[in-house]
Amino acid sequence: MVDEGTTPGRRRGPALPWLAAALCLLPVPLYAVVRGFGGVAPAVLLYLAVATLMAVVAVVGVRRLPRDRRRPWALLAASQGLFLTAEVAFIVAFTGVDVGHRLVPEILFLSGYAVLLAGVLALVRQPTGRSGRAALLDAAIVTLSCAAVLGTFFVAPLLADSDMPLQDRIVAGLYPLADIGIVYVLARTVLLPGHRAPAAHLLLAGLGVLVVADVASYLERLAGSGGPSTWAATGWLLSRGLISVAICCSSAVRLPAPPTAERPTGLTTRRLLVLALAAALPSGLSAALGLLGHRAHPVLLGCAALVLVLLVSLRTNDLLGQLRQQAAQLAVQARTDALTGLANRRTWDFHVARASAAARVDGTPLAVALLDLDHFKRFNDSFGHDAGDDLLREAAVAWTAALGRGVTLARWGGEEFAVLLPGLDAERAAVHLSAVHEAVPRGQTCSIGVTVLADGEEPADAMRRADEALYAAKHAGRACTVVAAVPSSSPDREAVTR
């Protein structure tokens, strides 16, 4: 049975995104032409008609989504409706009709931005771990840099304009703040590692176009323009069209993306260049304005520069932590066997050299042994290589527990393992290794060759002797331990029962 909360929506045919693109994007250049050459009234009517069509397409796209995936996209569609309602209210108020309050269109516009941000944030994959923290810091650096520019050139002049009523100044200053929020979402999404679906690309493109169109309108307002230019209005329309197409895209059902395995977030050349420019922008802007004889809000730019220094310091510390973590991981990988987690041959050579030197100084015995899983090839052929790998891992865990503290167990190669037993002669080591026979997992057996280092003998010679003892154990019927005599003793070997 299918849970009611996750009932699939209507099937999305491959033609739906293309139809949405045709309905939402093709009229945009037509509007630009009419706006430029056809007069104000036809352009306004066409704008409202196209914006209405985009809102309808967005609603249709949301309804065709599974119910458990609708909420973020429904917020985006609702923002389309709020923007359209605000524009209708603005046009109605412009014609002299009372809409209740002169700020009603502005409040509707700002509500549309708030709902849009809520929908986008619900779609953005939440960052986790070190890579997520790095992406958040990078996004904060880029966002603060853009906020410093918008605050210096747009927000601060608006708030300082005494000719405007206070509430008008506050409302006008909220638009750049909404754009700063969108910039943060864009930066966080783009800088977060991972694959993005086509619907996400369309959505990000729509948000980017919206910010560019808003900045164009701010520049026109500073220049004393009476209203938005063709470029700004066309940008707003294109932004809505891209968002509506994103809602109808078949990959929209995959958003928000489920959490993925963490991947390191390094500083590529392009990423480093973006962060460097962003970090230097407030200070560079302040210096440029000073050279030109303008002192536009130096306190604002100075505070932004200080906060950016703090963010860059945090990002640098994060990178250093990442480097330390990677260095520790590489050190572990260099010392351990990747499959079993035991010491590898390099680590074994280090331990046996140190133990042999200590044994010579202290005059204590030092036993070495080689272990081999019996019929391992047959086990692999019967149960598969994955089961063989599992057997090796389980044997490593079981033998480590059976051998106890003070004994070094290493992966020698293939199904062979090496054991270093300080303070034990060959016979006592063989008794100690009897626990290994009992701990072989999955009902398997093992063969063991053991010997003790002679005075002044190199560890490699003792390992060759242990290897010969191991092969003797194989020939003796397996599942047993053979003790190899030291060179000064009898060359005979004694088999020790399992």
Side-chain angles (χ1 to χ4, degrees):
M1 295 179 63
V2 180
D3 184 74
E4 184 177 348
T6 58
T7 301
R10 299 176 181 85
R11 180 177 177 83
R12 294 187 160 211
L16 179 61
W18 295 105
L19 179 60
L23 292 175
C24 297
L25 300 182
L26 291 181
V28 174
L30 176 62
Y31 166 76
V33 173
V34 173
R35 174 69 184 263
F37 302 100
V40 176
V44 170
L45 293 176
L46 180 59
Y47 187 98
L48 293 177
V50 175
T52 302
L53 179 60
M54 291 175 178
V56 171
V57 169
V59 172
V60 171
V62 170
R63 288 180 58 83
R64 296 175 71 89
L65 283 167
R67 290 183 182 179
D68 61 327
R69 295 285 179 170
R70 286 182 184 176
R71 183 176 175 275
W73 298 105
L75 290 172
L76 298 183
S79 70
Q80 301 271 48
L82 286 170
F83 287 142
L84 177 61
T85 305
E87 287 158 348
V88 172
F90 180 80
I91 293 172
V92 170
F94 184 76
T95 60
V97 178
D98 185 15
V99 294
H101 194 281
R102 59 187 179 83
L103 291 180
V104 166
E106 306 288 356
I107 294 173
L108 288 171
F109 271 123
L110 291 172
S111 300
Y113 277 101
V115 173
L116 176 65
L117 278 172
V120 174
L121 286 173
L123 287 171
V124 173
R125 175 166 56 89
Q126 295 299 319
T128 58
R130 189 177 295 276
S131 63
R133 185 167 61 253
L136 288 177
L137 286 172
D138 291 349
I141 291 172
V142 174
T143 304
L144 181 58
S145 179
C146 295
V149 176
L150 289 175
T152 299
F153 289 102
F154 304 125
V155 179
L158 282 172
L159 296 178
D161 188 359
S162 58
D163 295 334
M164 290 178 62
L166 178 60
Q167 58 184 358
D168 288 2
R169 283 182 276 167
I170 294 175
V171 169
L174 290 176
Y175 283 100
L177 295 180
D179 285 315
I180 291 170
I182 295 176
V183 168
Y184 171 75
V185 171
L186 284 170
R188 196 180 84 170
T189 306
V190 171
L191 295 175
L192 194 65
H195 174 72
R196 279 177 284 276
H201 286 288
L202 288 168
L203 178 60
L204 293 176
L207 295 175
V209 172
L210 175 60
V211 172
V212 172
D214 284 348
V215 172
S217 69
Y218 302 150
L219 292 173
E220 292 159 5
R221 181 180 299 179
L222 288 177
S225 175
S229 67
T230 300
W231 292 109
T234 303
W236 291 329
L237 207 56
L238 177 60
S239 170
R240 294 193 213 173
L242 290 169
I243 294 175
S244 295
V245 176
I247 296 174
C248 295
C249 191
S250 58
S251 61
V253 73
R254 302 203 301 268
L255 298 176
T260 57
E262 181 179 343
R263 297 191 300 175
T265 306
L267 277 182
T268 61
T269 302
R270 183 175 60 181
R271 191 187 192 103
L272 182 60
L273 180 61
V274 170
L275 293 179
L277 290 175
L281 184 57
S283 300
L285 184 60
S286 179
L289 291 175
L291 291 174
L292 295 174
H294 302 287
R295 297 188 58 82
H297 307 286
V299 175
L300 176 62
L301 290 174
C303 291
L306 289 176
V307 177
L308 281 171
V309 169
L310 174 61
L311 291 175
V312 170
S313 299
L314 291 174
R315 184 65 170 101
T316 303
N317 181 69
D318 189 80
L319 279 174
L320 291 175
Q322 181 177 325
L323 289 175
R324 287 191 293 267
Q325 183 182 35
Q326 291 175 346
Q329 291 173 348
L330 289 174
V332 171
Q333 292 172 3
R335 296 193 305 266
T336 58
D337 172 63
L339 178 63
T340 62
L342 297 175
N344 58 14
R345 289 284 291 268
R346 178 181 298 177
T347 306
W348 166 266
D349 291 339
F350 171 77
H351 282 297
V352 75
R354 187 174 63 174
S356 63
R360 281 194 293 269
V361 172
D362 299 336
T364 56
L366 176 64
V368 294
L370 282 178
L371 288 64
D372 185 273
L373 284 166
D374 295 330
H375 303 296
F376 183 73
K377 184 178 184 303
R378 186 170 65 188
F379 183 91
N380 260 346
D381 294 339
S382 300
F383 301 101
H385 291 284
D386 289 341
D389 290 344
D390 291 339
L391 176 60
L392 292 173
R393 281 190 288 263
E394 292 169 11
V397 173
W399 290 346
T400 299
L403 289 169
R405 298 174 60 87
V407 177
T408 300
L409 177 65
R411 176 96 181 273
W412 188 252
E415 68 273 24
E416 291 188 358
F417 297 80
V419 185
L420 184 64
L421 303 104
L424 298 180
D425 58 23
E427 286 71 20
R428 291 170 59 198
V431 174
H432 191 84
L433 291 168
S434 62
V436 171
H437 287 292
E438 299 172 0
V440 182
R442 303 199 180 195
Q444 303 301 302
T445 61
C446 71
S447 300
I448 303 175
V450 60
T451 189
V452 66
L453 267 74
D455 293 338
E457 185 180 23
E458 290 296 327
D461 296 329
M463 291 305 295
R464 279 193 291 269
R465 198 163 56 254
D467 189 50
E468 293 172 359
L470 173 63
Y471 275 93
K474 293 285 188 182
H475 289 298
R478 295 183 172 86
C480 64
T481 298
V482 169
V483 178
V486 296
S488 59
S489 303
S490 171
D492 295 336
R493 300 181 177 89
E494 176 187 359
V496 180
T497 58
R498 60 183 69 88

